[in-house]
Amino acid sequence: MQANVQNNADLPPELCAKPLALVGVSGLDTLNNAVHKSIWETFSNNRRADRAPVLFKLIGNAHEFPVIKPKRNSYDWYIPKGILKRNWMNKHLFEIPAVIVIFYDLDWNDSLWNEKMIECASRVQSLRAALEGRNTRIAVVLIQNTLPLPPGEDVLASDRAISLCASCELNASSLFVLPHGDHLQGYAVRLESAFYEFAQNYYHTEIKNVRSHKEHLNKTSHQYLFVRHQFKMGFLYELKQDIHTAHKLMFTLNLPRDAISQFKAHIDRFKNRMGFQELSFEHYSWLSKQFSVFGDIFDEAVKLGLPAVQTQHPGIYYQQAAQYAILRKKSCQELCSTLLKVQTLWNFMGKGRGDLENYLQNLQTHNWNQTGSKRYTSVQDYVLLSLEILGKYSKLHIDHKKKIYENLQRILKRQIPFGDQKLTPDVLQHAVIQWQPKLQTEPINLSLDLGNIVTCIETKARFVQTHYEVDQNVTVEVYIKCTSPSPLKFSKISVMINTPSYNSEFAVDDSAFDENSLVFHTDQVKKFVIEFMADPSDVNKEIQIGAINLLMGNSKECSLDLKFNPLNNLSRTSPELLHFKYCPVKIDFDNIPPLANTLIIPRHSKLKIGLEYAIPALLGEWFEIKIYINNEESHCIKDMKVEVNLSKDETINLSKYGVEELQFLIQSIVAEFSTTSSGIPEKLPLLLKLPNSLKKQEKCSGSFYLRAHKVIENILEVKISYTLDRDKPVISIKTETIIVPIVKPFDINTKFLSTLMEEISQFYVGEEIGVMPTLRCLSPWPIIIESTSIEFSTPFKSLENNVISRLANMKLENKEVGVELFLAVCEQSSDSNVTVGQYIVKWRRENGLSTTSQLTIIGYPSEWIPLELKMCVPAHGLVRTPLLINYHLYNRSHQLLQLDVAMEASEAFMYAGYKQFSVSVLPDSVKTIQYNLYPLIAGSVALPKLILTIPENNSEVPTLHQDQLKSLVDRCLPTHLYVMPQVKGSPNIPNVVKPRKISAIK
């Protein structure tokens, strides 16, 4: 179904058409509205191969869609009448759209917004009702006169888009905006890509629906339905353009051997099933048609680049088709013994004997265009047929061809062609009467499309190069070959050049021609050269040779504009045999390689660009890049524009976003850009503030700044566009690529310490802790820490009245570390990790701009316990010198707190105090326990260990567990004391517990 069958007279159009996704277009008044007409032509015309495979269809307000069939719950009693209903393919190709797009004129700031929004919603609801029961996707395109602002800036547009989607009951992805202006073609291409994606989803859903029907079938009684559903799914896959999953389209999949094997198996299965001998001619006719259609499909694949070999090429199948047509003729002759019976039979078949002769001749010469008699009264048909008969593939006698040639020349002079003398006078007189008004009323100007017809004129056109700079002459070589037995003369030769946005015609310069330059004799080949300058707007675009135009005659009498498609004028000889083909002329026409496309590239710029920057850039800093421009062009330049953009973003899937959305994402996620050192972010592309014109050898310079938010390799593109100030201004573009790797300036880790300067992993409410950020320099460049600060978040509070940065004005080299400590307390409990606050570092690289980095410090869960424990002990002790230690127990609760206290013995100390006792701490009060210690040895000596336990069978202790109590003792009480050796003399004895005096007992 992918091939365009040439001889499609006996095949329905749905079998000959290439399946394309059908998109309905509603709301365009192409007759009365010029804007609507231009939009429709943009979508429907110039459907090149690189456009989305979509067929657009205008749908009026009174359009009626095919009635949807009621769904069948069971196939038990259903008897199909055949494999497929004859209108099913036509219905899905041309009648049931996968997507319907409603175009509506509406700007965001329209004064009648509410009324128009209601009208637009009414149109949507009307179409939705007409399509009820179908899965057709509905989209709305607003035709606007003003260009849209970038996303996020037009608040009115955002609000009204939301209200319009709600009113129309549309998904936001189904609403589009089409600004009508200079870039209509580009907007249209983007829109049709979105429509094509919607259509693919529609056909995918339809395939799932067909596949679900298989669950209700059984192979015994529903064989027709199995075949029907397989065919439907294959055809829907073709509409979806999923060729690999569709039918066995072997040529399309570049599997010619499999295609030939499949066709041979098909023929072998049916060629011996002739049926009644009296109808054998029908069987031969069917076989002939099978081979001819397969030859057409094979030939189409060869034209699209499939290599054919000597043992397998389309001619074999055309020859076999001709052989079966001969068998068909013999079968008829054997069946009918008299001429009358033969004529009656041919009339019954709908063909005359002369038609059969022509049919056989056309098969043998690969010519599939129907021929006819000289009684044509359509001038256009007569000219087409004449050009075809004059060609080398027509086997008519040379005398007959000369008569055709003379009649063609008479038409060019607006004279009635001579009739066949074998015709009766009545027929000739009738033909003259019909020809007279067509030739004598006014000049005849005919435009004939010869793209798919083999005539006596063969053409080829190609670009000389695969690409041209915009200021170079684009050269097109046009080759024309004449196979007419008599000379042909043309008056003009031109080519049509197609670009994505417009079409232009360029003619051969005839100023140096003589009277014989455009006269062609039999088998003569001539080459003509056409040169033109590409349009500056076509830079980075591909242009194509759309058509070759040959003009015969003159506009005063009769002119024939013959249009040839350069892609269809392929040789009729197999590609492998072209090199062995005898070429009597100097120009080897058959072996001229085609080149129908070329790329227009920017001219080579002579601007000298210098870039100055010190990589790597540091994460978060405003990284300066200096640019120097020197005009070394031979002319002054003007309209200079220097733009900076990110050319690659490995963190974002670009296909999901539009241009405006992508710019916003790049700036908010990857990096920010600015043209000033003040660090005000600007949108991409970044336009540098430089002079817009430079004289020869004049220089200029500027800077821009990049602030990266991710540690990735940023690839920047600096694009300088300008116009050469000369007679014919030429736009030039110079690009430079900058690779900027990003590294972290430093790494910050935070530790939390107890009052003993030991690391902790649990917070207690009301407990003093130390927050210690550690800043390790990772930068290859020295960095200056200008200041640091910490902002505590609830429930944390600073315990310092005046927080001073200990790292201010410090210079850190690579791998150097800076540390500072902040005292704080947590005032609330939390089961999850507590946010301590924000650590803020203001820094810069040497000779760089100041940058502020901020880190959120996350702590640990915070727990409330009723007891707070502190120990007061001297900084050091002396051997054999008493010292006093105090244990303070603070009860935070509103209940009595009872604990058992014990002091372990120690070989390093003797002590005075209770060894074991019970203590009661009143609510919201402090209990102090004192001990006199007497050090016995010097050094870092382990202190006697205080043990706190909860009394057994004591239920009055508020929310305090033994494990909590042990953890509190371990983190709050120091374990060692540094004891110095005994001093000589009488040392000062520190405060100790004074013994109480006991009165004598009388």
Side-chain angles (χ1 to χ4, degrees), residues 1 11-23 55 57 63-67 84-98 134 202-203 231-232 235-236 239:
M1 294 180 193
L11 296 176
E14 55 264 34
L15 281 178
C16 304
K18 181 178 180 179
L20 298 174
L22 184 61
V23 175
L55 174 64
K57 178 180 180 180
H63 184 82
E64 293 184 3
F65 296 96
V67 178
L84 191 71
K85 292 187 177 180
R86 62 181 302 173
N87 68 333
W88 186 86
M89 290 176 61
N90 184 76
K91 189 166 59 175
H92 286 272
L93 279 170
F94 307 112
E95 296 180 15
I96 302 177
R134 299 196 182 275
Y202 166 84
Y203 292 121
F231 181 88
K232 284 186 176 182
F235 187 74
L236 291 171
L239 289 170

Side-chain angles (χ1 to χ4, degrees), residues 203-409:
Y203 292 121
H204 180 74
T205 304
E206 292 296 300
I207 292 167
K208 289 176 62 178
N209 292 338
V210 175
R211 185 180 287 115
S212 66
H213 294 168
K214 284 188 174 181
E215 301 173 0
H216 307 288
L217 304 180
N218 63 77
K219 294 185 178 180
T220 304
S221 57
H222 295 143
Q223 293 183 1
Y224 273 7
L225 293 180
F226 271 101
V227 178
R228 174 185 297 180
H229 291 158
Q230 283 296 115
F231 181 88
K232 284 186 176 182
M233 286 192 295
F235 187 74
L236 291 171
Y237 273 121
E238 285 191 71
L239 289 170
K240 190 187 174 186
Q241 304 304 313
D242 188 354
I243 304 302
H244 288 274
T245 318
H247 300 297
K248 296 182 179 179
L249 306 174
M250 300 305 182
F251 281 126
T252 305
L253 298 175
N254 201 20
L255 299 172
R257 294 182 181 273
D258 294 346
I260 293 170
S261 299
Q262 181 184 356
F263 176 72
K264 287 183 176 179
H266 166 69
I267 293 298
D268 291 343
R269 187 176 294 111
F270 295 104
K271 70 177 182 180
N272 295 325
R273 300 184 180 184
M274 186 175 296
F276 295 107
Q277 185 65 34
E278 292 80 3
L279 295 178
S280 59
F281 66 91
E282 287 284 9
H283 183 67
Y284 291 133
S285 174
W286 181 82
L287 287 172
S288 177
K289 176 60 69 175
Q290 299 298 301
F291 278 93
S292 65
V293 171
F294 186 80
D296 281 340
I297 298 174
F298 199 169
D299 188 47
E300 185 72 18
V302 171
K303 290 179 180 178
L304 296 176
L306 179 72
V309 295
Q310 188 171 1
T311 57
Q312 288 294 342
H313 56 82
I316 295 175
Y317 300 93
Y318 289 132
Q319 179 65 27
Q320 193 64 42
Q323 294 298 327
Y324 278 113
I326 293 172
L327 290 176
R328 177 194 185 195
K329 175 182 177 182
K330 291 181 178 178
S331 176
C332 292
Q333 290 174 342
E334 293 172 359
L335 182 63
C336 304
S337 58
T338 64
L339 180 61
L340 179 60
K341 292 181 179 179
V342 173
Q343 186 63 44
T344 303
L345 179 61
W346 285 120
N347 290 338
F348 167 74
M349 295 173 55
K351 291 184 178 290
R353 182 167 182 173
D355 294 320
L356 180 60
E357 295 286 347
N358 289 328
Y359 176 69
L360 292 173
Q361 180 182 343
N362 292 335
L363 280 174
Q364 292 165 340
T365 59
H366 303 183
N367 184 354
W368 287 79
N369 298 285
Q370 292 183 348
T371 58
S373 69
K374 294 184 181 179
R375 284 177 278 182
Y376 273 94
T377 57
S378 168
V379 179
Q380 180 168 329
D381 291 344
Y382 189 90
V383 171
L384 283 173
L385 185 60
S386 299
L387 293 174
E388 186 176 1
I389 292 175
L390 291 175
K392 63 181 179 181
Y393 295 108
S394 173
K395 302 305 179 184
L396 295 180
H397 193 270
I398 188 65
D399 294 335
H400 190 183
K401 289 188 176 183
K402 288 182 178 180
K403 292 180 180 179
I404 298 295
Y405 174 80
E406 292 175 1
N407 283 340
L408 179 61
Q409 297 302 316

